[in-house]
């Protein structure tokens, strides 16, 4: 069977990533490769109560079709909670999708024609890079430092090539863990408005802060009308529920809803209602505090173990939140080549840095996840990585 | 705010359809316009038990990420049940999506480049037409008669222009209610294999049969390897759960999974597991028999009322199942123009036939839905339509 697939498929697929993820799944391996939240962090009982209550009280209404924008009370809750980050909006500015991955995809579909440019942090979220590649986009990769995306370099770049939009993950960035400073946020919003270029502010981890003070969203600054904010419950409630959202101008919400309607009509009605029940009637903040306490300990254990076991010449970020630490090795190490060795010899896995780079650079970097391993496994796994690095840096 | 949207957006949007659907929503109107299942047909208690059991017994596992292809036991159930239609397959041939709408969309994304041709019944499912338009496809509209798509005309057409795939809704077709005969099914599968052109067999209504004998799927005939079958629980359990599936060769499932992963990672884990619980432990066939009994009565009431109230010169299909009856009026009537009159003067709504036609023909046709109105409302609404037709045919 020989099928003539669409051209975008050759851009969308990355066999290297598939192969990487496959080998990191071995059950005898300590994996820092995934991006999974801890199953211990899921509010199973609270959700059970919410689903039961919604089916009992709302019955058939919770099982019928609904509008593509999403369940209005849930949209209102999203709008209200966004106020904590300084975003002023109403339910009319919110569209519910199947996780924030769908929000990124809907934005790509509504905005990108083949050959269009996307500006993004280099490195950035791997699956966003793949979505944009699938939309046959080209890239303006912008470096980031400890203060986040280099907005000054972005400003220079967009004078030369105008991107269709700017994609950023400003808070506890995936993969680096870096958080964009207030000043850079302000500059980015201003730059977007000045050039009339939309910004996608992807913020799946923002509520998982272990140190430092919460920062206002990029969307909260002057010019924020040009920002489309993407949020999700995947990391604060559960990813299996597949609920995320966009917060944007009504014009943009309307376009996203058109695409959403043809994509899959609407997001699971029952889940939207049960989730609304859960977040409004149960103690969500208390639940998040429990997750934060757990992940903070895991982060601290990982950082301490890295101090203890990683040889000199290896550097890493110290994230204030999120799920990832970013490691940079001396230029003599290629983490793509090292991965099979790490798995075979040390039974430990990570994600090599290259696929996070839209320009395929970063061969001497890697991402480590600390949310989905116990402190004991973290200590053991980091010690193994340290031993591996020492052998290969000799 | 002036955003430069992707080209596909100008193809995807149909303001006429939006306007039609908006005016059919008026609460004082008897609406035969929607395609909603009856809320009385939803197994609220059975689903409540299934969700409770899954959360209680599987806990966190039901809330975590999973593979893009879907929950393996649910895929195995789909494969097994497809055997009733003569389809031989395993879980490896199944991909779970958010309703069969997402299956159609994933197929369009993986196969269609701008300018590609799609062969389809004329008329056919409105939202499929819009998905293909959004993919910037062109059309080979193939007429259908009482035996379904004119496969002989299709065979002639594809000699001249090769379509990327053939989209059919062979059983209780939306919008006509027509069912493709066994002989045409056989011919279609053979034609597809002979020319190596995939067929999309979209079958959302197949289990809702009120008269006649069940027919084997197009995919069950020789050549069926070239058929991608799309199914859903929207009409036999509930649409708000957003669970549908593709059944196809493993090569195709693999491509669809790649697109699915970037689109929204996976379908709601908890819902997939609860649905699996429901369909395997509760009496699904008994539940479907209850729906069939209800809808059969509604169909019969609508057909009898049409006999009684519609003037001569008006013709309609007599469907053996599904949710729709297709009405053809004399050529002097334009159903697009008549709709506002129907709503204002008679407080009754339908969907005009034009948007179901990829070639924008069918101005004197309309679709009536009988699944979502009680027998009393059906009698009243059809009488109103009859009065309207009589006035306008004088």
């Amino acid at each position: 069977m020989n099928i003539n697939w669409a051209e975008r498929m050759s851009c969308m697929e990355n066999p290297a990533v598939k192969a990487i993820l496959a080998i990191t799944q071995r059950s005898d391996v300590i994996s820092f490769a995934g991006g999974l939240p801890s199953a211990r962090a899921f509010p199973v009982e609270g959700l059970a109560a919410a689903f039961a209550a919604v089916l009992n009280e709302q019955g058939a209404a919770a099982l019928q079709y609904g509008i593509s924008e999403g369940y209005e009370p849930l949209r209102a809750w999203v709008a209200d909670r966004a106020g904590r980050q300084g975003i002023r909006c109403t339910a009319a500015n919110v569209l519910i999708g199947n996780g924030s991955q769908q929000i990124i995809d809907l934005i790509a579909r509504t905005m990108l024609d083949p050959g269009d440019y996307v500006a993004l942090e280099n490195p950035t979220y791997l699956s966003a890079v793949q979505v944009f590649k699938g939309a046959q986009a080209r890239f303006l990769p912008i470096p980031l430092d400890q203060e986040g995306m280099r907005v000054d370099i972005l400003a220079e770049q967009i004078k030369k090539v105008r991107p269709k939009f700017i994609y950023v993950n400003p808070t506890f960035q995936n993969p680096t863990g870096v958080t964009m400073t207030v000043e850079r946020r302000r500059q980015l919003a201003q730059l977007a408005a000045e050039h009339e270029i939309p910004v996608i502010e992807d913020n799946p981890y923002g509520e998982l802060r272990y140190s430092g003070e919460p920062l206002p969203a990029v969307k909260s600054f002057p010019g924020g009308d040009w920002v489309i904010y993407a949020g999700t419950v995947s990391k604060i409630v559960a990813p299996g529920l597949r609920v995320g959202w966009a917060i944007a101008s009504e014009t943009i919400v309307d376009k996203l809803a058109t695409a959403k309607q043809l994509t899959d009509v609407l997001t699971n009605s029952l889940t939207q209602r049960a989730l609304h029940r859960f977040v409004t009637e149960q103690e969500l903040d208390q639940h998040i505090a429990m997750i934060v306490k757990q992940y903070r300990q895991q982060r601290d254990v990982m950082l301490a173990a890295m101090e203890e076991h990683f040889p000199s010449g290896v550097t890493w970020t110290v994230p204030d939140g999120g799920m990832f630490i970013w490691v940079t090795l001396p230029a003599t190490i290629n983490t793509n080549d090292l991965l099979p060795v790490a798995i075979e010899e040390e039974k430990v896995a990570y994600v090599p840095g290259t696929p996070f780079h839209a320009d395929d650079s970063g061969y001497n970097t890697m991402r480590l996840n600390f949310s989905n391993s116990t402190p004991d496994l973290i200590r053991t796994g980091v010690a193994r990585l340290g031993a591996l690095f020492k052998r290969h840096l000799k």
Side-chain angles (χ1 to χ4, degrees), chain A residues 81-333:
Chain A
R81 194 169 178 96
R84 296 186 179 192
Q85 296 180 69
I87 300 172
R88 298 193 177 281
C89 64
T90 70
N93 300 112
V94 177
L95 175 126
I96 305 293
N98 307 321
S100 52
Q101 182 71 28
Q102 189 179 48
I103 301 302
I104 298 170
D105 184 58
L106 290 174
I107 293 168
R109 295 183 83 171
T110 53
M111 292 200 191
L112 294 178
D113 286 311
D116 280 347
Y117 280 89
V118 172
L120 34 59
E121 294 147 327
N122 195 36
T124 190
Y125 173 46
L126 190 158
S127 291
V129 174
Q130 283 188 284
V131 168
F132 305 146
K133 282 186 177 172
Q136 295 161 278
R138 290 179 286 182
F139 295 104
L140 292 180
I142 310 295
L144 72 171
D145 59 21
Q146 290 309 310
E147 300 183 2
M149 182 188 248
R150 287 282 303 271
V151 179
D152 58 327
I153 296 177
L154 174 69
E156 287 306 310
Q157 289 282 318
I158 64 178
K159 280 180 200 160
K160 294 177 219 156
V161 178
R162 186 182 167 86
K164 213 62 173 290
F165 58 76
I166 302 155
Y167 172 80
V168 289
N169 182 192
T171 309
F172 321 137
Q173 201 231 18
N174 180 2
T176 64
V178 163
T179 297
M180 187 185 279
T181 59
V182 169
E183 194 43 38
R184 294 241 180 117
R185 287 168 191 244
R186 187 189 316 277
Q187 289 164 0
L188 179 59
Q190 191 184 331
L191 192 71
E194 194 181 308
H195 291 267
E196 303 200 336
I197 297 172
V199 168
I200 320 306
E201 179 179 15
D202 188 13
N203 188 20
Y205 312 107
E207 300 227 36
L208 302 179
R209 177 175 282 279
Y210 320 131
S211 47
E213 290 304 311
L215 300 183
V218 176
K219 187 166 178 54
S220 73
F221 289 95
D225 282 355
W226 284 90
V227 178
I228 307 174
Y229 177 99
T232 176
V233 296
S234 290
K235 277 75 190 184
I236 56 172
V237 183
L241 298 178
R242 309 309 302 132
V243 176
W245 51 81
I247 304 176
S249 72
E250 289 186 47
T251 311
I252 293 173
V253 165
D254 189 58
K255 286 282 177 188
L256 296 178
T258 297
K260 169 81 180 163
Q261 186 174 10
L262 294 180
T263 301
D264 60 6
V265 192
L266 74 154
T267 294
N268 192 306
S269 310
L270 174 61
T271 298
Q272 288 190 70
R273 287 167 188 251
L275 182 66
H276 174 257
R277 183 86 176 207
F278 174 76
V279 296
T280 52
E281 301 213 344
Q282 312 254 348
E283 296 297 332
L284 178 63
D285 288 334
Q286 202 173 304
H287 178 72
I288 293 173
M290 183 276 287
I291 302 174
V292 162
K293 191 177 162 192
Q294 177 187 330
Y295 289 179
R296 179 191 289 126
Q297 186 200 5
Q298 289 164 206
R299 175 198 67 167
D300 292 346
V301 166
M302 186 171 269
L303 288 170
M306 291 164 88
E307 278 297 344
E308 184 181 341
H309 297 289
F310 283 6
S312 70
V314 179
T315 61
W316 56 90
T317 56
V318 178
D320 278 326
M323 296 172 29
F324 306 110
I325 295 174
W326 184 247
V327 179
T328 304
L329 292 151
T332 53
I333 301 273

Side-chain angles (χ1 to χ4, degrees), chain A residues 298-372:
Chain A
Q298 289 164 206
R299 175 198 67 167
D300 292 346
V301 166
M302 186 171 269
L303 288 170
M306 291 164 88
E307 278 297 344
E308 184 181 341
H309 297 289
F310 283 6
S312 70
V314 179
T315 61
W316 56 90
T317 56
V318 178
D320 278 326
M323 296 172 29
F324 306 110
I325 295 174
W326 184 247
V327 179
T328 304
L329 292 151
T332 53
I333 301 273
N334 182 319
T335 58
N336 298 289
D337 299 340
L338 194 64
L339 180 62
V341 184
I343 289 171
E344 273 315 312
E345 295 181 6
E346 296 287 348
K347 307 264 183 282
V348 63
Y350 57 82
V351 187
T354 312
F356 298 100
H357 292 77
D359 62 0
D360 294 323
S361 64
Y363 68 89
N364 61 327
T365 57
M366 63 171 62
R367 190 191 74 177
L368 300 182
N369 166 272
F370 56 80
S371 62
N372 198 28

Side-chain angles (χ1 to χ4, degrees), chain A residues 28-30 309 346-348 379-389 391:
Chain A
D28 59 336
V29 164
I30 296 177
H309 297 289
E346 296 287 348
K347 307 264 183 282
V348 63
R379 279 185 207 100
T380 309
V382 170
R384 290 179 185 178
L385 276 176
L388 181 78
F389 294 166
R391 279 207 304 284

